[in-house]
Amino acid sequence: MLIALTREVPSSINACELTHVARTPIDVAAARAQHAAYEAALQEAGCTLRRLPAADDLPDSVFVEDAAVVVDELAVVTRPGAASRRAETSSVAEALRAHRDVVAIEEPGTLDGGDVLQLGETIFVGLSARTNAEGARQLAGFLEAYGYVVKTVAVEGALHLKTAVTRVRRDAVLLNPQWIDRALFDCDVIEVDPEEPFAANVLLAGETLLCSTAYPKTNARLGAVTTVDASELAKAEGGLTCCSILFSV
Ligand code: CIR
């Protein structure tokens, strides 16, 4: 069974962190409707939803991906790079304890789940404005014990590693070559359309590839996809991977 951990869009989302995106008003009701459609698409893809309690006082709390990294053997609770986001992790840790042993990144390490891309036994960790070398080192310490190979990669121009590259099939990634070197990947590589730099953040849920309706040119390069409108959460600099943590039980 594939579980999708999610959390409702908080009423405070207009106070979210922003790095590469200019602030524009987010319609909370519209964002919640889009988020509900995203959850429905995950269910349609075969996921069982587990919704965390809403956290209206934490503006970025809908972006649960950043709070933990879950592999088959373990859950690693992060220490998010943005101080405003650190209180998000305790409820995520509590939910994960039902399914995994849970360990945590500790100060002075910082790590956002959006910087962690798993491709089989290889785990890429983006060194970004949010994830530091110490956070990556601690994560490697936890995961290498289970045989994973952890590779760090510098992220520039994008908020997170997974803004620049995500997995689209077992053996293929989608990436923006302006932000990440395609030579890092020894699998099939598909590039985003040059007019759609933010299109690389797609979510593979089981056999279903969830993509944003905002990027038709890139989506046309991917074969069969399921599209969802994620335009309101994009104003908060969030993409499709950010709004869930997927793991098998
Ligand atoms: C932030 O800046 O932390 C949020 N506004 C967006 C986080 C998006 N998360 C992700 O890409 N994993």
Side-chain angles (χ1 to χ4, degrees):
M1 180 166 86
L2 193 59
I3 291 189
L5 202 63
T6 64
R7 171 145 55 196
E8 178 65 290
V9 176
S11 54
S12 59
I13 190 164
N14 277 285
C16 66
E17 295 281 341
L18 289 177
T19 307
H20 297 285
V21 170
R23 195 170 295 278
T24 54
I26 299 170
D27 179 328
V28 174
R32 285 182 172 161
Q34 289 179 2
H35 186 256
Y38 168 87
E39 289 180 325
L42 286 175
Q43 287 178 301
E44 190 63 29
C47 298
T48 299
L49 276 191
R50 291 272 187 278
R51 299 185 102 201
L52 292 160
D56 270 332
D57 53 330
L58 297 172
D60 282 303
S61 54
V62 63
F63 301 121
V64 290
E65 169 183 65
D66 293 316
V69 175
V70 182
V71 294
D72 285 347
E73 302 84 356
L74 189 71
V76 182
V77 172
T78 67
R79 182 169 179 269
S84 68
R85 301 201 55 190
R86 298 211 175 121
E88 294 174 28
T89 57
S90 54
S91 49
V92 173
E94 198 178 311
L96 290 172
R97 258 181 221 112
H99 306 286
R100 295 286 191 280
D101 287 341
V102 175
V103 294
I105 302 295
E106 288 175 4
E107 194 177 359
T110 63
L111 184 88
D112 277 16
D115 279 317
V116 181
L117 172 67
Q118 180 176 6
L119 297 177
E121 302 298 303
T122 305
I123 311 267
F124 289 90
V125 184
L127 298 179
S128 70
R130 299 291 176 81
T131 296
N132 65 17
E134 172 60 16
R137 191 193 67 76
Q138 290 181 28
L139 183 72
F142 293 131
L143 298 183
E144 285 170 357
Y146 293 98
Y148 293 98
V149 176
V150 176
K151 297 183 179 175
T152 56
V153 37
V155 177
E156 276 157 33
L159 177 61
H160 287 123
L161 177 64
K162 278 188 280 192
T163 320
V165 55
T166 55
R167 194 162 76 104
V168 292
R169 292 193 304 267
R170 187 176 179 77
D171 57 349
V173 292
L174 172 67
L175 59 73
N176 178 337
Q178 303 296 318
W179 292 336
I180 197 91
D181 182 1
R182 56 179 292 155
L184 288 166
F185 302 97
D186 61 2
C187 57
D188 288 349
V189 172
I190 302 165
E191 295 189 0
V192 299
D193 185 279
E195 290 174 21
E196 298 175 341
F198 287 94
N201 187 268
V202 298
L203 177 60
L204 187 60
E207 301 294 307
T208 301
L209 190 59
L210 281 190
C211 299
S212 167
T213 50
Y215 309 118
K217 292 180 176 173
T218 300
N219 296 347
R221 300 180 178 197
L222 298 173
V225 300
T226 296
T227 54
V228 292
D229 183 354
S231 52
E232 287 304 310
L233 291 173
K235 295 178 188 171
E237 218 169 339
L240 296 178
T241 63
C242 322
C243 295
S244 57
I245 299 174
L246 304 185
F247 57 92
S248 302
V249 293

